[in-house]
Amino acid sequence: MIDMMTKTNRLTALLGVKKPIIAGGMVWCSGWRLAAAVSNAGGLGLIGAGSMHPEILQEHIQKCKQATDRPFGVNVPLLYPEMDRVMQIIMDEKVPIVVTSAGNPKTWTAQLHEAGCKVLHVVSSAKFAQKAEAAGVDAIIAEGFEAGGHNGREETTTMCLIPSVVDAVSIPVVAAGGIASGRAIAAAQCLGAEGVQIGTLFALSEESSAHEAFKLACCAAGEGDTALVLKKLAPTRLLKKGFWQQVVTAEDRGANADELNELLGKGRAKKGIFEGDLEEGEPEIGQVAAQIDRIRPIAEIMQMLEEEYHKVVS
């Protein structure tokens, strides 16, 4: 097996990075500090545009440029508002890599390419991977339903999803969902992935902008302490804390989509992740939180991943 961590492959060549590790562009976690730290450690850091107004995004991009001289990118959920302004800022600031999700990649890929950006798109099925390739994206991020936050309706696990997507497309595939160890990176490579995207592990790092209370609650989580809910709206994986129980109670009594939207309201994710209100906030996190027991700096995490990977493949 080729050493994914030290040998150049199609993905690392595309992104201009040393290590085939991408940081998830997570709302309320992925600010410029986290992005710069991952990029400085040899991976690809992402700024999560989903929780930022355009002017705040621009500020984070500019601060990231000052904090690293290595490639970084921006994750953009395509269904969010003010998309024209967001994309114009990304192109004006000459962000080298854009990861799109939650929408049709055909809408922006050509324009981003014209501006010199590389484009990756997040999918939850082989069918959508093929559509993204046809839209011209440079690589696919295939995310299994173990992941935190918003998930695909297919509920396909990473172990099943990755080989299906690898077989369905000819461009590089990045594995995402439930990856928080060197062993998991090696497993993703065995399934045909040329890199990984890591969310939960980085969300619980020192450089993450998430609230300390949120991080500590996630580090204390055990097996089975997350659940996929809100399937009538957009399937979302949450930590089983206060608001999760409100959602379960509403779903158990048969609440329709309108009632769930009213319950969800606005700002729940910010309240839970950024403000640390675990009773009324929406604490989005992945299943793999059960394997994480402490908050560490990105440099230490990246070293741990590499050392464990080499033990597995040597």
Side-chain angles (χ1 to χ4, degrees):
M1 184 163 60
I2 296 173
D3 187 336
M4 184 192 280
M5 286 292 196
T6 59
K7 302 295 184 182
T8 299
N9 63 19
R10 291 190 300 169
L11 183 73
T12 55
L14 173 72
L15 303 179
V17 298
K18 294 180 179 179
K19 300 174 184 176
I21 297 174
I22 299 173
M26 302 163 286
V27 294
W28 305 113
C29 296
S30 299
W32 68 268
R33 289 183 180 85
L34 178 56
V38 173
S39 290
N40 283 333
L44 180 75
L46 290 184
I47 296 169
S51 53
M52 298 179 183
H53 293 297
E55 60 273 13
I56 300 299
L57 172 62
Q58 186 166 29
E59 179 183 339
H60 277 256
I61 291 171
Q62 291 173 351
K63 286 183 176 179
C64 197
K65 287 179 179 178
Q66 295 170 0
T68 184
D69 58 0
R70 298 183 179 182
F72 69 94
V74 174
N75 174 276
V76 184
L78 294 172
L79 297 181
Y80 276 48
E82 299 185 279
M83 194 51 53
D84 289 348
R85 287 186 63 198
V86 166
M87 288 300 191
Q88 193 60 54
I89 286 169
I90 287 170
M91 291 184 286
D92 289 345
E93 293 290 343
K94 302 188 185 304
V95 175
I97 295 127
V98 178
V99 174
T100 56
S101 60
N104 184 357
K106 185 179 290 187
T107 308
W108 285 99
T109 296
Q111 197 168 340
L112 289 168
H113 278 162
E114 289 175 9
C117 306
K118 305 297 184 184
V119 182
L120 292 76
H121 189 68
V122 181
V123 302
S124 57
S125 72
K127 177 181 72 174
F128 285 116
Q130 290 176 322
K131 289 185 176 181
E133 182 177 33
V137 305
D138 300 291
I140 296 291
I141 299 175
E143 185 176 78
F145 101 126
E146 298 95 325
H150 297 295
N151 268 279
R153 297 188 179 278
E154 298 84 2
E155 298 189 21
T156 306
T157 65
T158 302
M159 285 286 286
C160 293
L161 178 63
I162 301 309
S164 295
V165 172
V166 168
D167 289 346
V169 300
S170 61
I171 55 179
V173 174
V174 178
I179 297 171
S181 67
R183 291 178 295 171
I185 294 172
Q189 182 178 6
C190 287
L191 296 173
E194 295 185 47
V196 297
Q197 178 174 277
I198 293 177
T200 293
L201 181 62
F202 290 161
L204 305 182
S205 69
E206 286 185 3
E207 290 88 349
S208 164
S209 53
H211 195 281
E212 190 83 355
F214 169 79
K215 294 180 188 179
L216 291 173
C218 292
C219 287
E223 186 177 14
D225 283 345
T226 70
L228 199 64
V229 294
L230 295 167
K231 295 180 184 179
K232 292 180 181 178
L233 301 178
T236 308
R237 183 169 298 282
L238 304 179
L239 191 65
K240 290 181 177 178
K241 290 291 183 180
F243 177 66
W244 163 82
Q245 187 58 63
Q246 294 181 46
V247 173
V248 171
T249 299
E251 291 182 333
D252 285 348
R253 65 172 171 76
N256 60 32
D258 289 340
E259 291 173 298
L260 291 172
N261 261 320
E262 185 176 352
L263 174 64
L264 191 60
K266 292 183 178 180
R268 289 278 190 181
K270 180 182 181 182
K271 190 174 291 186
I273 300 170
F274 192 68
E275 298 175 359
D277 184 345
L278 301 176
E279 291 305 310
E280 293 299 325
E282 186 180 356
E284 302 176 4
I285 203 69
Q287 282 184 333
V288 80
Q291 298 176 22
I292 302 164
D293 60 7
R294 65 189 187 278
I295 302 165
R296 291 178 285 181
I298 287 296
E300 182 181 325
I301 291 171
M302 292 287 278
Q303 183 178 355
M304 175 273 292
L305 291 171
E306 187 165 8
E307 289 176 353
E308 187 175 85
Y309 171 87
H310 285 137
K311 285 182 182 178
V312 172
V313 301
S314 61

